[in-house]
């Protein structure tokens, strides 16, 4: 069955819901069911957590170094400075993610407004 199989207004919504569920939630539930049997300090879970953290770091690095849209027009040093200031705010203000994001946004916005 394809996306164009049924020609009604509601089919794209149903298709997205079904495809989205199969692609994500089914595997999440399977992971929850299997993960209940794994010890939190086991080597396999430490490895999985390390790989997940590395993937998130790689995505963040890609967004900083090779951004798209309006962010692509800003200098790379401004983007790096904003990321570092956000991380510093996160560490020194008490590990609040929202405040770290806000600090990075302020630095990035100020740099863009000043034309840096």
């Amino acid at each position: 069955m394809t996306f164009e199989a049924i020609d009604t207004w509601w089919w794209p919504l149903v298709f997205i819901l079904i495809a989205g569920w199969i692609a994500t939630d089914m595997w999440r539930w399977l992971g929850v069911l299997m993960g209940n049997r794994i010890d939190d300090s086991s080597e396999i879970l430490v490895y999985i957590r390390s790989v997940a953290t590395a993937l998130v770091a790689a995505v963040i690095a890609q967004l900083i170094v090779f951004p798209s849209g309006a962010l692509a027009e800003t200098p790379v040093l401004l983007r790096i400075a904003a990321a570092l200031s956000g991380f510093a705010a996160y560490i020194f203000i008490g590990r609040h993610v929202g405040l770290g994001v806000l600090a990075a946004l302020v630095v990035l916005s100020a740099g863009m407004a000043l034309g840096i």
Side-chain angles (χ1 to χ4, degrees):
M1 183 166 282
T2 64
F3 182 71
E4 290 91 12
I6 300 174
D7 189 27
T8 60
W9 68 269
W10 51 266
W11 174 243
L13 300 174
V14 171
F15 188 84
I16 290 169
L17 286 173
I18 292 171
W21 179 81
I22 290 171
T24 58
D25 285 348
M26 182 178 73
W27 299 109
R28 289 179 187 171
W29 283 105
L30 199 63
V32 167
L33 292 174
M34 292 180 67
N36 286 335
R37 299 185 193 125
I38 299 175
D39 182 29
D40 288 343
S41 60
S42 69
E43 287 186 30
I44 187 71
L45 204 57
V46 170
Y47 173 74
I48 290 171
R49 196 175 305 129
S50 300
V51 170
T53 303
L55 286 172
V56 170
V59 168
I60 291 170
Q62 182 181 15
L63 290 173
I64 292 171
V65 178
F66 303 111
S68 61
L71 199 57
E73 299 171 7
T74 61
V76 69
L77 291 178
L78 176 61
R79 297 190 302 263
I80 292 172
L84 290 176
S85 66
F87 182 67
Y90 169 78
I91 295 295
F92 294 120
I93 295 179
R95 299 193 184 270
H96 293 284
V97 174
L99 294 176
V101 170
L102 183 64
L105 183 64
V106 166
V107 169
L108 186 63
S109 299
M112 289 174 74
L114 295 173
I116 295 175

